[in-house]
Amino acid sequence: LIQEKIARMKSGLYALESMLYLTGGMIDAGVLKQYPIEAAICKVFGTELSWRSIDELLQIQGGMGYMRHMGTERVLRDIRIGTLFEGTTEINLLQIAGRGLDALGKVLMRGGLSSEPTRPSLGPLPHQIEPLGKQLENHIAEFSATIRSMLMGKGATLMDPTQQHTMELTLQAVARSVIDLYAMVAMLIHTRDIIPQAEASGYPELAAGPITLTDYFFREAYARLSDNSRIIKEGGNPELVAAAARA
């Protein structure tokens, strides 16, 4: 049980590190002139990871974690502001989905919604992570097809501010999927760059950790992507709505 907590914390931390390297690199290179979506993605992922990690640390420490000399209880209190300050998680999720779908909708309208999407290609990858690259290409293609189908059926409702509150669960699922896919792309690029550096140093085993963490994160993310894909296709989560109505 402790190993599970540590694996999720470590893989999440490597994912966040990779996302920040990717985003910062694109900004420095001038690829991104404006980056509200990327910033929101990193903010949501990072603050939620921080909160989950310190909560799990307290769980690992048990009652001792409440003791002031351990330091955990103060961090637990202080870090909670992250998901609230500078835009709550909920607002950022709606921003990620709203801005992304708006931009994608305009692109698709120019090319025609019914046209076949271009299959993504991540280029050549080291053999150690080539299977993960194929998995990611499949995930992106599936997500793209799901979003295109959704826009064709409910695009007007999604972009209508007066109707947006009825689509929040769908928008959240879209945003969560985008965050996972962005993290997976970032991790793959980061690990791709680490492998030849490790081999050139004469210590190829240094790449084993990043490869293992990337593989583990991909396995966890696949389950989340599947759940969110179902919510998007169903146009929300009727079971959740029904349960909330009973509250």
Side-chain angles (χ1 to χ4, degrees):
L1 295 178
I2 302 301
Q3 288 179 323
E4 179 184 21
K5 298 179 189 301
I6 293 174
R8 285 180 172 168
M9 285 190 280
K10 184 62 177 179
S11 63
L13 182 60
Y14 181 64
L16 178 60
E17 176 186 293
S18 301
M19 294 162 78
L20 294 175
Y21 271 123
L22 175 62
T23 305
M26 290 192 293
I27 294 172
D28 288 343
V31 176
L32 295 177
K33 302 299 183 182
Q34 296 181 329
Y35 35 89
I37 296 179
E38 291 81 4
I41 288 173
C42 292
K43 200 267 185 183
V44 169
F45 188 90
T47 54
E48 289 190 333
L49 172 66
S50 299
W51 172 249
R52 287 196 307 271
S53 296
I54 194 65
D55 183 55
E56 292 286 31
L57 175 59
L58 181 63
Q59 191 70 21
I60 292 171
Q61 292 176 337
M64 284 296 294
Y66 273 95
M67 300 298 103
R68 182 169 297 176
H69 72 277
M70 295 291 288
T72 306
E73 49 87 26
R74 178 174 181 176
V75 178
L76 185 72
R77 293 196 308 272
D78 291 347
I79 214 166
R80 186 60 181 86
I81 192 65
T83 58
L84 303 172
F85 193 62
E86 295 292 342
T88 65
T89 295
E90 291 75 17
I91 292 298
N92 276 295
L93 287 172
L94 294 179
Q95 176 180 325
I96 293 166
R99 285 178 177 266
L101 289 174
D102 182 53
L104 179 60
K106 292 175 181 177
V107 171
L108 292 177
M109 287 302 293
R110 288 198 296 268
L113 282 171
S114 60
S115 59
E116 286 297 317
T118 302
R119 185 173 182 80
S121 175
L122 299 171
L125 295 170
H127 68 89
Q128 299 95 322
I129 58 173
E130 188 174 2
L132 296 179
K134 296 297 183 183
Q135 288 180 32
L136 181 53
E137 289 176 1
N138 290 335
H139 291 326
I140 294 174
E142 291 172 7
F143 178 69
S144 176
T146 300
I147 295 301
R148 293 168 72 89
S149 176
M150 181 189 71
L151 287 174
M152 291 177 67
K154 300 182 179 181
T157 302
L158 284 168
M159 296 299 110
D160 183 354
T162 64
Q163 299 295 321
Q164 197 175 63
H165 67 283
T166 65
M167 300 298 296
E168 285 183 351
L169 292 174
T170 300
L171 292 172
Q172 175 181 239
V174 170
R176 293 290 185 189
S177 297
V178 169
I179 291 171
D180 269 327
L181 290 171
Y182 191 76
M184 293 164 82
V185 169
M187 294 179 82
L188 207 61
I189 292 174
H190 196 183
T191 305
R192 178 200 66 189
D193 294 342
I194 288 174
I195 291 174
Q197 293 174 8
E199 292 175 346
S201 72
Y203 297 95
E205 63 273 11
L206 293 176
I211 293 171
T212 300
L213 294 173
T214 302
D215 180 69
Y216 181 77
F217 187 92
F218 271 49
R219 292 174 186 274
E220 294 271 290
Y222 177 70
R224 295 191 296 268
L225 287 169
S226 297
D227 289 341
N228 285 318
S229 177
R230 176 185 58 80
I231 292 172
I232 296 169
K233 290 175 181 178
E234 292 179 355
N237 191 331
E239 297 85 2
L240 185 151
V241 172
R246 297 286 183 180

